[in-house]
Amino acid sequence: MAIVDNIGTALSGSGGSVILTSVDKLVDWSRGQSLWAFPMGTACCAMELIAASFNKFDFDRLGTFPRPDPRHTDVMILAGTITEKMKPAVKLLYDQMPEPKWVVAMGNCTVSGGIFYYDTYSVVRGADTFLPIDVYIAGCPPRPESLQDGIIQLRELVREESIAPGKRHERKTLLPRKGEGAGDAL
Amino acid sequence: MPLEVESRRTALSEDGRPIEELVLNVGPSHPSTHGVGRFVVHLDGDVIVKVDPMIGYLHRGIEKMAENRTYLQIVPLTDRLDYVGSMYANWAYCRTVERLAGIRVPERAEYLRVIVCELQRMASHMMGIGAAAADTGAFSMFIYAFDLRERIVELFEDLCGARLTYNYVRPGGVSYDAPDGWFDKVSAFIGTVDATLAEMDSLFFGNVITRGRLKGIGVLSAQDAVACGASGPVARGSGVNWDLRKHDPYSVYPRMEFDVVVGDKGDAYDRGRVKLFECYESAKIVDQCIAQMPGGHFKAEGLPRLIAPPAGDAYDHIESARGSLGVYLVSDGSPRPYRMKVRSPAFCNLSLAGMLAAGHTLPDLVVVLGSLDPVFGEIDR
Amino acid sequence: MSPHDVRHHLAELSPQLDARISDHFEDVVIEVGSANLLQTASELLELGFDRLGMVTAVDTGDDFEMVYRVTSRSLSCSAFVKTRVGRIEPRVASLCPVWPAANWQEREVWDLFGIHFTGHPDMRRILLPEEWPGWPLRKDYDDPNVIRRPDYI
């Protein structure tokens, strides 16, 4: 996307907002049509993530194709409980994804800790304590249809993106949680 | 904690030759680790010298949580242990609670439990074989296997409304009776299973590439399997004839006719094939259960909402898809357990990974891991 | 083989084992002092108890109770071996030389209870990070990050 970035900088610098809007639309439309996913399956939800990708539910028809390499992907699907021990690895993988990038929190564990919110000492209570989440999908685990609906919702967000610099991630802030300090805006 | 490892160190080989050992980190997120396992591999060129499995990336503290939950509230937690085969952990836990509290289970519930667990065994083995096949590059096998699994999941959905975390087996029975026409659906499904399994057998295990890739990899002797605590298909693949359904019979298994599938070479190929052939036996058991299905209650009558067993400790186990899954409960007479311990078969099986992979090349590590069929929810708990 | 038969069998073969039958569930329980644990384990292995199923500990408040469950395939029976370890710097002999299956399970007990196994080949934490403070499954474990569940049953 480096070329697109340069185009964006050049166009916005020369005051070409009309051209930029049209380019924006084209880029966002094409991005939304093929959101390659990095399946960060850590626990139970990974099974439904696999089910969503396979023959009955067929994720490919939405243009979402799981790639095991974070550097090839646009959206990280966090599926499953994240523990304190796993957190640095998830952050590392997120950092390796190229911009622009989105994160889908699949399942209650990544939304809030879910069933593992109380009494446990090793679970991160919600992935939004350390990653900016774009779409939350509730369920323990959510059905594959819910996940696909989440991806369709994400397309709406993708359409709001602009290739002009400085406009990205304005909505993405880390949420404070009980027992942890307020997160910093990215 | 640091994810970095010291990448090179100089060591001596067994014959005194100086080697420059390359240390490679696989995981915790890796396409072929079947979850969030991490393996620090020490390589001499292409050959694995040592594998150090690092687990605990999914340690959720379920045993600690159980100490603050009532006996009934723990059942959903056990779902999340072995998420490929949720029914097993449900059942193993409920058996221990029933033993501890002296609850008698109606016969119909026992039959329903056996049916769901044998269907679950098929679903779980399909996941195990399919994921292992995908690791070796046979991706179409994964799709075939997952198709069968999906059909079983649909049956479970009809039965209890959930696709993955069923919460179906409860202390004293099961949560719902089978809906109308469910047994016919199961029978119809079982009627198609044999042909599907035979197709998979020829597609994957009959394939010359698979044979070349799997045979002779990760050979486990029967003696080592017993000494290292392996159970389930891992032990049976090595020729250890040990199946709790046969040798420590529980529930209504003594009334069923089935064979214990045993391999002879103890390599990855045998372990995989044992899993496939166990599916035939499971289908046989489900058929017999439906034929013998008694009427009556599906849940123990007059069970209090708050189970408070007398003080004491109890252990009970069942044969899960991965081996003998046991639950140890200590009660102090209160409605919450004093201590819960899950004896996880995948935990013991995975401890063999280092031993089995040594001497092979790096791609064979993936084959060894696939044949051990680890599920990290259960390993890390 | 019924638990009573197992008890008689054990009493005949090895009188010092002192197996008893537990009150509720008729399990065979062998209680040993922690000093004799390794020796008892070797004897049980010779008697045919070739599988070590489970290793765990229970925090009883005053001390720790180590619980081992062993199974014999030839006799088709199982038995518990229990021993008590003091709370201050708890130490107990590792059973790895007898049953290699103890290796990871003892590491888990060390990780969650802080009971050190002498003679263990690789005494590291297994589930939690190496620098984790405290031993979570002890009853007096207190972590400020834990949110207690409201008591509404």
Side-chain angles (χ1 to χ4, degrees):
Chain A
M1 283 295 145
I3 299 168
V4 178
D5 280 349
N6 293 340
I7 296 171
T9 316
L11 291 178
S12 60
S14 62
S17 58
V18 179
I19 305 169
L20 187 61
T21 317
S22 309
V23 176
D24 252 0
K25 274 188 183 157
L26 179 69
V27 170
D28 289 341
W29 174 81
S30 55
R31 268 179 191 154
Q33 294 303 312
S34 76
L35 288 165
W36 283 18
F38 177 64
M40 187 64 239
T42 50
C44 331
C45 287
M47 300 301 301
E48 293 296 70
L49 182 57
I50 298 170
S53 324
F54 270 8
N55 32 10
K56 187 178 165 196
F57 296 98
D58 192 12
F59 231 152
D60 283 14
R61 70 203 157 92
L62 299 177
T64 299
F65 180 66
R67 292 287 304 167
D69 189 340
R71 288 173 206 271
H72 300 171
T73 54
D74 309 297
V75 50
M76 179 187 247
I77 301 177
L78 284 169
T81 322
I82 298 166
T83 59
E84 292 289 348
K85 195 173 176 179
M86 190 66 196
K87 192 164 104 174
V90 176
K91 187 84 176 81
L92 189 69
L93 289 163
Y94 175 77
D95 290 342
Q96 287 179 33
M97 286 167 65
E99 292 277 354
K101 53 191 170 188
W102 294 271
V103 185
V104 173
M106 179 190 182
N108 288 351
C109 288
T110 44
V111 173
S112 69
I115 194 172
F116 301 105
Y117 186 84
Y118 289 122
D119 294 334
T120 178
Y121 45 87
S122 60
V123 172
V124 176
R125 294 183 191 90
D128 50 13
T129 51
F130 68 102
L131 284 186
I133 307 288
D134 295 285
V135 176
Y136 294 87
I137 304 167
C140 193
R143 295 180 57 89
E145 294 97 324
S146 307
L147 176 61
Q148 293 179 341
D149 183 54
I151 292 293
I152 292 167
Q153 302 275 329
L154 182 65
R155 284 181 176 183
E156 301 291 322
L157 284 179
V158 173
R159 292 210 186 100
E160 292 170 13
E161 282 289 324
S162 171
I163 54 172
K167 288 199 176 177
R168 262 175 224 147
H169 303 309
E170 279 166 7
R171 67 185 179 282
K172 293 182 180 177
T173 47
L174 296 184
L175 301 180
R177 269 281 186 283
K178 190 181 172 185
E180 290 157 42
D184 309 317
L186 273 193
Chain B
M1 76 257 31
L3 284 168
E4 301 83 32
V5 286
E6 192 191 344
S7 65
R8 274 178 189 279
R9 67 192 182 90
T10 314
L12 290 179
S13 71
E14 276 175 14
D15 51 2
R17 177 173 58 92
I19 52 169
E20 195 171 354
E21 208 173 82
L22 176 72
V23 185
L24 189 71
N25 180 49
V26 180
S29 174
H30 185 270
S32 62
T33 48
H34 298 252
V36 284
R38 178 177 164 216
F39 301 87
V40 177
V41 189
H42 297 246
L43 291 162
D44 171 18
D46 263 349
V47 181
I48 296 172
V49 180
K50 192 179 119 191
V51 181
D52 190 5
M54 304 258 185
I55 61 172
Y57 286 91
L58 194 53
H59 177 61
R60 303 184 274 199
I62 287 177
E63 288 171 8
K64 184 76 173 178
M65 288 171 81
E67 291 171 11
N68 206 23
R69 298 278 200 282
T70 64
Y71 283 93
L72 213 52
Q73 288 168 343
I74 295 171
V75 183
L77 292 181
T78 60
D79 275 329
R80 275 105 190 140
L81 280 172
D82 179 355
Y83 44 80
V84 183
S86 299
M87 295 283 188
Y88 293 114
N90 282 179
W91 197 10
Y93 169 74
C94 290
R95 278 187 66 80
T96 314
V97 175
E98 282 151 11
R99 198 177 156 90
L100 201 59
I103 301 167
R104 280 185 62 84
V105 183
E107 207 168 48
R108 187 175 174 85
E110 290 285 11
Y111 274 95
L112 279 167
R113 287 172 175 193
V114 172
I115 290 179
V116 292
C117 279
E118 291 308 320
L119 288 174
Q120 184 77 88
R121 190 182 309 278
M122 277 190 240
S124 177
H125 280 344
M126 282 303 118
M127 187 65 209
I129 299 169
D135 288 350
T136 61
F139 202 80
S140 41
M141 174 63 192
F142 198 5
I143 294 173
Y144 273 70
F146 218 84
D147 186 53
L148 188 67
R149 184 191 147 82
E150 200 63 44
R151 279 152 70 196
I152 297 169
V153 168
E154 276 167 28
L155 290 174
F156 285 155
E157 202 180 338
D158 285 351
L159 184 65
C160 59
R163 279 174 52 86
L164 193 69
T165 45
Y166 309 107
N167 195 7
Y168 181 65
V169 183
R170 307 265 177 94
V174 294
S175 58
Y176 305 102
D177 202 350
D180 291 342
W182 191 73
F183 293 124
D184 299 334
K185 276 189 197 169
V186 175
S187 297
F189 165 72
I190 292 296
T192 64
V193 159
D194 280 11
T196 318
L197 289 175
E199 192 183 10
M200 280 183 215
D201 193 20
S202 60
L203 174 74
F204 184 60
F205 291 104
N207 189 326
V208 67
I209 302 171
T210 308
R211 285 162 177 265
R213 191 76 201 276
L214 262 58
K215 281 203 167 180
I217 301 298
V219 178
L220 175 67
S221 70
Q223 202 185 356
D224 283 348
V226 174
C228 295
S231 54
V234 174
R236 289 196 286 275
S238 302
V240 182
N241 191 350
W242 182 251
D243 187 325
L244 294 176
R245 293 176 291 172
K246 227 14 167 209
H247 298 103
D248 188 4
Y250 55 94
S251 189
V252 293
Y253 280 113
R255 299 179 207 166
M256 304 294 155
E257 276 192 21
F258 65 100
D259 298 320
V260 177
V261 185
V262 177
D264 52 358
K265 301 215 175 50
D267 53 5
Y269 185 83
D270 272 20
R271 286 194 283 275
R273 205 131 187 254
V274 162
K275 280 182 212 147
L276 189 87
F277 278 76
E278 275 186 7
C279 295
Y280 286 105
E281 303 302 320
S282 293
K284 263 162 59 181
I285 295 173
V286 173
D287 251 351
Q288 293 171 52
C289 278
I290 292 175
Q292 297 175 17
M293 179 60 75
H297 293 292
F298 62 93
K299 207 187 245 183
E301 291 285 290
L303 202 62
R305 181 163 287 197
L306 215 56
I307 304 166
D313 59 341
Y315 176 89
D316 215 329
H317 53 187
I318 61 164
E319 180 75 23
S320 90
R322 267 155 279 281
S324 50
L325 169 66
V327 174
Y328 177 68
L329 280 171
V330 182
S331 163
D332 57 353
S334 72
R336 297 186 175 85
Y338 188 76
R339 164 106 174 90
M340 179 175 98
K341 153 85 185 169
V342 179
R343 190 270 177 196
S344 151
F347 181 83
C348 297
N349 290 349
L350 188 72
S351 67
L352 294 162
M355 192 176 88
L356 296 186
H360 293 298
T361 56
L362 189 61
D364 295 335
L365 171 69
V366 172
V367 172
V368 167
L369 291 180
S371 73
L372 293 176
D373 194 10
V375 172
F376 279 87
E378 191 188 61
I379 291 168
D380 299 342
R381 280 154 291 165
Chain C
M1 203 182 253
S2 82
H4 292 276
D5 295 340
V6 175
R7 184 170 164 258
H8 287 304
H9 185 73
L10 289 178
E12 273 171 31
L13 290 175
S14 181
Q16 70 272 28
L17 274 182
D18 186 30
R20 66 177 179 84
I21 305 289
S22 71
D23 304 334
H24 299 297
F25 313 113
E26 305 216 319
D27 294 317
V28 181
V29 180
I30 302 164
E31 281 183 5
V32 290
S34 57
N36 296 332
L37 181 66
L38 199 59
Q39 193 202 343
T40 308
S42 330
E43 270 173 43
L44 283 171
L45 180 66
E46 275 171 33
L47 293 176
F49 285 85
D50 51 359
R51 285 182 68 95
L52 177 67
M54 179 188 74
V55 180
T56 189
V58 181
D59 183 357
T60 59
D62 311 321
D63 51 9
F64 295 113
E65 188 177 49
M66 289 296 306
V67 183
Y68 302 85
R69 192 184 151 88
V70 290
T71 305
S72 163
R73 288 183 301 143
S74 51
L75 305 174
S76 75
C77 67
S78 300
F80 283 109
V81 180
K82 293 184 180 179
T83 183
R84 284 180 177 273
V85 193
R87 251 194 121 77
I88 300 153
E89 289 207 10
R91 267 173 189 279
V92 67
S94 167
L95 298 189
C96 285
V98 185
W99 293 290
N103 187 331
W104 274 29
Q105 303 208 41
E106 285 180 348
R107 275 177 73 187
E108 189 196 316
V109 173
W110 160 247
D111 191 353
L112 302 177
F113 282 94
I115 298 172
H116 194 277
F117 292 86
T118 45
H120 190 283
D122 187 16
M123 199 83 264
R124 285 177 298 153
R125 278 192 183 251
I126 188 164
L127 295 175
L128 289 165
E130 200 62 49
E131 61 276 7
W132 192 270
W135 317 103
L137 282 186
R138 286 191 185 185
K139 288 286 177 184
D140 55 3
Y141 177 72
D142 186 31
D143 187 333
N145 288 324
V146 173
I147 301 175
R148 303 302 292 180
R149 185 164 168 274
D151 197 9
Y152 45 75
I153 295 194

